[in-house]
């Protein structure tokens, strides 16, 4: 494989979708991160962003056509496809993914993708129905099986007004995925050591959820997302494919992790459902127990009477309990319990009530929520394993090591 270069060279293929505008921000981030980027703009992409914009941001010529004889003399398309360390397709439309999967080479972008001997990272963006269509699912499977890294799209409201998975991840997350792909490709291929979770899919939920009261206010909690993000990072380091369903937090996406951003408990439940099947689920999110029965479309106003508006609450779906009853239940399901008193007794009861294999209980009466350290007790069918206070990263490593050990030995205790 390729030797790591001090300044990674990215060949960025910009496909034709509304999300193409985010490719401009991605170019800026790659440059800011010390990378060199050369853009290829498809015919469709040129309907959304201009070659001029990409050239100005990348400070490199932008390639748009296979039939550019001047370039074919100075730099053939084969050379263009191979001089980069990584080829990134962003946004990767359903059509582009289909042509990549079929090995079609009918324009500059697809010809480069067929000719390249470098790793390829595709960042899809499309309407939710297109993403979930059997043809796209099949094409993504074909591409992954042939070694293309296909990033999971974000879940959320789309430009077309629908809701679900299909949104282009934020440029910061794409840049993190690029860095992950570059470090994977730079690691020596002669003797890769598969991590203890290689071949496993680990699903992690993290962070709080926000439940709208009206368009500007919401119900929230103090979860920072740090413990869940640390577990996602540790699982990816252990070789797992990791899907991280994250509530609203500002943390960077750990390397090698597919992140799906959500706001509400119901969005989190939908994203968990889409991410299945998984071998392991670690549900760290501090999901709001209740949401407002009705969130008006307009901001609530004081009416001068001094009486606040009534806030009727309804219970949110219990994502962990639902997952434990699902026929696609992962072999190992780990829940968390944030308690302020009788920590272990509450956690033992919670394990039985929700049907989880393990409950990781922590005392949040101090500054654990939002803090950097955690003291946890792991409750399983055999008893309680209490760990000393440690940084959240170390707690994550301990939990992931326990998961790997359990899977290697068959069924969870
Ligand atoms: O009931 P409680 O909120 O204490 O349960 C905590 C555990 O259940 C955590 O693992 C949390 O992620 C999960 N949970 C959930 N959906 C909810 C509430 C909690 O998945 N609505």
């Amino acid at each position: 494989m390729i030797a790591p270069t001090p300044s990674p060279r990215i060949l960025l293929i910009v496909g034709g979708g509304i999300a193409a505008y985010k490719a401009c921000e991605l170019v800026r981030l790659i440059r800011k991160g010390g990378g060199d980027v050369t853009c290829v703009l498809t015919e469709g992409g040129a309907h959304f962003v201009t070659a001029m914009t990409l050239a100005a941001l990348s400070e490199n010529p932008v390639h748009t056509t296979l039939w550019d004889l001047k370039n074919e003399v100075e730099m053939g398309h084969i050379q263009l496809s191979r001089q980069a360390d990584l080829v990134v397709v962003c946004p990767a439309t359903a059509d582009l993914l289909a042509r990549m999967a079929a090995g079609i080479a009918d324009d500059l972008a697809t010809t480069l993708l067929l000719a390249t001997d470098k790793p390829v990272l595709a960042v899809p963006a499309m309407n939710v129905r297109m993403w979930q269509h059997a043809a796209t699912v099949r094409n993504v499977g074909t591409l992954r099986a042939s070694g293309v890294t296909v990033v999971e799209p974000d879940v959320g409201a789309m430009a077309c007004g629908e809701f679900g998975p299909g949104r282009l991840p934020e440029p910061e997350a794409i840049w993190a995925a690029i860095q992950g792909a570059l470090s994977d490709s730079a690691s020596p291929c002669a003797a890769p050591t598969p991590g203890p979770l290689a071949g496993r899919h680990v699903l992690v939920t993290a962070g709080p959820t926000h439940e709208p009261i009206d368009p500007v206010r919401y119900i929230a909690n103090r979860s920072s997302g740090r413990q869940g993000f640390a577990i996602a990072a540790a699982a990816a380091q252990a070789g797992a494919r990791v899907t991280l369903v994250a509530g609203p937090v500002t943390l960077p996406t750990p390397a090698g992790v597919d992140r799906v951003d959500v706001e509400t408990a119901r969005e989190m439940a939908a994203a968990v459902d889409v991410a299945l099947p998984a071998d392991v689920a670690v549900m760290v999110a501090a999901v709001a127990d209740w949401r407002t029965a009705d969130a008006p479309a307009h901001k609530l106003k004081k009416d001068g009477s001094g009486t606040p508006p009534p806030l009727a609450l309804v219970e949110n779906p219990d994502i962990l309990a639902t997952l434990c009853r699902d026929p696609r239940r992962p072999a190992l399901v780990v829940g968390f319990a944030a308690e302020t008193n009788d920590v272990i007794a509450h956690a033992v009861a919670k394990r039985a009530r929700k049907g989880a294999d393990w409950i990781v209980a922590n005392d949040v009466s101090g500054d654990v929520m939002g803090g950097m350290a955690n003291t946890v007790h792991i409750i399983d069918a055999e008893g309680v394993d209490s760990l000393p206070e440690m940084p959240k990263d170390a707690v994550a490593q301990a939990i992931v090591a326990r998961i790997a050990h359990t899977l290697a030995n068959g069924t969870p205790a």
Side-chain angles (χ1 to χ4, degrees), residues 313-333:
L313 299 178
V314 291
E315 202 163 297
N316 265 328
D318 191 313
I319 306 168
L320 171 59
T322 307
L323 180 69
C324 289
R325 290 192 303 266
D326 193 294
R328 297 163 298 166
R329 182 194 195 280
L332 179 60
V333 179

Short mmCIF file of all heavy atoms in Angstrom, two decimals, residues 313-333:
data_model
loop_
_atom_site.label_atom_id
_atom_site.label_comp_id
_atom_site.label_asym_id
_atom_site.label_seq_id
_atom_site.Cartn_x
_atom_site.Cartn_y
_atom_site.Cartn_z
N LEU A 313 -46.80 16.31 29.16
CA LEU A 313 -45.72 15.43 28.72
C LEU A 313 -46.27 14.04 28.39
O LEU A 313 -47.23 13.59 29.01
CB LEU A 313 -44.65 15.31 29.81
CG LEU A 313 -43.96 16.60 30.23
CD1 LEU A 313 -42.97 16.31 31.36
CD2 LEU A 313 -43.22 17.23 29.05
N VAL A 314 -45.64 13.39 27.43
CA VAL A 314 -45.94 11.97 27.16
C VAL A 314 -44.63 11.20 27.19
O VAL A 314 -43.55 11.78 26.99
CB VAL A 314 -46.64 11.75 25.79
CG1 VAL A 314 -48.04 12.31 25.78
CG2 VAL A 314 -45.81 12.32 24.66
N GLU A 315 -44.72 9.89 27.46
CA GLU A 315 -43.50 9.10 27.60
C GLU A 315 -42.87 8.81 26.24
O GLU A 315 -43.59 8.56 25.27
CB GLU A 315 -43.84 7.78 28.31
CG GLU A 315 -42.63 7.17 28.96
CD GLU A 315 -43.03 6.12 29.99
OE1 GLU A 315 -43.71 6.50 30.99
OE2 GLU A 315 -42.70 4.95 29.79
N ASN A 316 -41.57 8.86 26.20
CA ASN A 316 -40.84 8.51 24.98
C ASN A 316 -40.71 7.00 24.87
O ASN A 316 -40.79 6.30 25.88
CB ASN A 316 -39.43 9.13 25.02
CG ASN A 316 -39.39 10.46 24.31
OD1 ASN A 316 -40.11 10.69 23.35
ND2 ASN A 316 -38.54 11.35 24.79
N PRO A 317 -40.47 6.48 23.65
CA PRO A 317 -40.20 5.04 23.54
C PRO A 317 -38.94 4.69 24.31
O PRO A 317 -37.99 5.48 24.34
CB PRO A 317 -39.99 4.83 22.03
CG PRO A 317 -39.67 6.19 21.49
CD PRO A 317 -40.35 7.19 22.38
N ASP A 318 -38.93 3.54 24.97
CA ASP A 318 -37.71 3.07 25.62
C ASP A 318 -36.91 2.30 24.57
O ASP A 318 -37.25 1.18 24.21
CB ASP A 318 -38.04 2.20 26.83
CG ASP A 318 -36.79 1.93 27.66
OD1 ASP A 318 -35.74 1.58 27.06
OD2 ASP A 318 -36.84 2.08 28.89
N ILE A 319 -35.85 2.92 24.07
CA ILE A 319 -35.11 2.36 22.93
C ILE A 319 -34.42 1.06 23.35
O ILE A 319 -34.45 0.05 22.62
CB ILE A 319 -34.08 3.38 22.40
CG1 ILE A 319 -34.78 4.70 22.08
CG2 ILE A 319 -33.35 2.85 21.18
CD1 ILE A 319 -33.86 5.87 21.84
N LEU A 320 -33.84 1.07 24.54
CA LEU A 320 -33.13 -0.12 25.04
C LEU A 320 -34.09 -1.30 25.22
O LEU A 320 -33.84 -2.41 24.74
CB LEU A 320 -32.43 0.23 26.36
CG LEU A 320 -31.80 -0.91 27.14
CD1 LEU A 320 -30.74 -1.62 26.31
CD2 LEU A 320 -31.17 -0.39 28.43
N ALA A 321 -35.21 -1.05 25.90
CA ALA A 321 -36.17 -2.14 26.15
C ALA A 321 -36.74 -2.66 24.84
O ALA A 321 -36.92 -3.87 24.66
CB ALA A 321 -37.27 -1.65 27.07
N THR A 322 -37.01 -1.74 23.89
CA THR A 322 -37.56 -2.15 22.59
C THR A 322 -36.55 -3.02 21.86
O THR A 322 -36.90 -4.05 21.27
CB THR A 322 -37.89 -0.89 21.75
OG1 THR A 322 -38.71 -0.05 22.52
CG2 THR A 322 -38.59 -1.25 20.44
N LEU A 323 -35.29 -2.60 21.91
CA LEU A 323 -34.24 -3.37 21.22
C LEU A 323 -34.12 -4.78 21.81
O LEU A 323 -33.92 -5.76 21.08
CB LEU A 323 -32.90 -2.63 21.36
CG LEU A 323 -31.69 -3.28 20.70
CD1 LEU A 323 -31.82 -3.22 19.18
CD2 LEU A 323 -30.40 -2.59 21.13
N CYS A 324 -34.25 -4.87 23.13
CA CYS A 324 -34.11 -6.18 23.79
C CYS A 324 -35.23 -7.14 23.40
O CYS A 324 -35.06 -8.35 23.46
CB CYS A 324 -34.02 -6.01 25.30
SG CYS A 324 -32.46 -5.29 25.80
N ARG A 325 -36.39 -6.59 22.99
CA ARG A 325 -37.52 -7.45 22.60
C ARG A 325 -37.54 -7.71 21.10
O ARG A 325 -38.36 -8.46 20.60
CB ARG A 325 -38.85 -6.78 22.99
CG ARG A 325 -39.10 -6.74 24.50
CD ARG A 325 -40.54 -6.35 24.78
NE ARG A 325 -40.87 -5.05 24.17
CZ ARG A 325 -40.80 -3.88 24.82
NH1 ARG A 325 -40.42 -3.85 26.08
NH2 ARG A 325 -41.12 -2.76 24.21
N ASP A 326 -36.66 -7.02 20.36
CA ASP A 326 -36.68 -7.10 18.89
C ASP A 326 -36.14 -8.46 18.43
O ASP A 326 -35.17 -8.95 19.00
CB ASP A 326 -35.80 -5.96 18.33
CG ASP A 326 -36.00 -5.74 16.84
OD1 ASP A 326 -35.65 -6.63 16.04
OD2 ASP A 326 -36.51 -4.67 16.48
N PRO A 327 -36.75 -9.06 17.40
CA PRO A 327 -36.20 -10.32 16.89
C PRO A 327 -34.75 -10.17 16.40
O PRO A 327 -34.00 -11.14 16.34
CB PRO A 327 -37.12 -10.68 15.71
CG PRO A 327 -38.28 -9.76 15.78
CD PRO A 327 -37.97 -8.64 16.71
N ARG A 328 -34.37 -8.91 16.05
CA ARG A 328 -32.98 -8.69 15.59
C ARG A 328 -32.07 -8.31 16.76
O ARG A 328 -31.00 -7.76 16.55
CB ARG A 328 -32.96 -7.58 14.53
CG ARG A 328 -33.74 -7.89 13.27
CD ARG A 328 -34.00 -6.62 12.48
NE ARG A 328 -34.81 -5.70 13.26
CZ ARG A 328 -35.00 -4.41 12.97
NH1 ARG A 328 -34.43 -3.89 11.90
NH2 ARG A 328 -35.74 -3.65 13.75
N ARG A 329 -32.50 -8.60 17.98
CA ARG A 329 -31.72 -8.21 19.17
C ARG A 329 -30.25 -8.63 19.02
O ARG A 329 -29.95 -9.79 18.74
CB ARG A 329 -32.31 -8.91 20.40
CG ARG A 329 -31.63 -8.56 21.70
CD ARG A 329 -32.07 -9.57 22.78
NE ARG A 329 -31.74 -9.14 24.13
CZ ARG A 329 -30.54 -9.24 24.67
NH1 ARG A 329 -29.52 -9.76 23.98
NH2 ARG A 329 -30.33 -8.84 25.91
N PRO A 330 -29.32 -7.69 19.20
CA PRO A 330 -27.90 -8.07 19.16
C PRO A 330 -27.58 -9.14 20.22
O PRO A 330 -28.27 -9.24 21.24
CB PRO A 330 -27.18 -6.76 19.47
CG PRO A 330 -28.15 -5.69 19.09
CD PRO A 330 -29.51 -6.24 19.40
N ALA A 331 -26.54 -9.92 19.97
CA ALA A 331 -26.18 -11.01 20.90
C ALA A 331 -25.82 -10.46 22.28
O ALA A 331 -26.03 -11.10 23.29
CB ALA A 331 -25.00 -11.79 20.34
N LEU A 332 -25.29 -9.25 22.30
CA LEU A 332 -24.90 -8.64 23.58
C LEU A 332 -25.47 -7.22 23.64
O LEU A 332 -25.14 -6.39 22.79
CB LEU A 332 -23.38 -8.62 23.71
CG LEU A 332 -22.79 -7.99 24.98
CD1 LEU A 332 -23.26 -8.72 26.23
CD2 LEU A 332 -21.26 -8.01 24.93
N VAL A 333 -26.34 -6.98 24.61
CA VAL A 333 -26.92 -5.64 24.76
C VAL A 333 -26.50 -5.07 26.12
O VAL A 333 -26.71 -5.70 27.16
CB VAL A 333 -28.46 -5.66 24.66
CG1 VAL A 333 -29.03 -4.25 24.85
CG2 VAL A 333 -28.90 -6.20 23.30
#
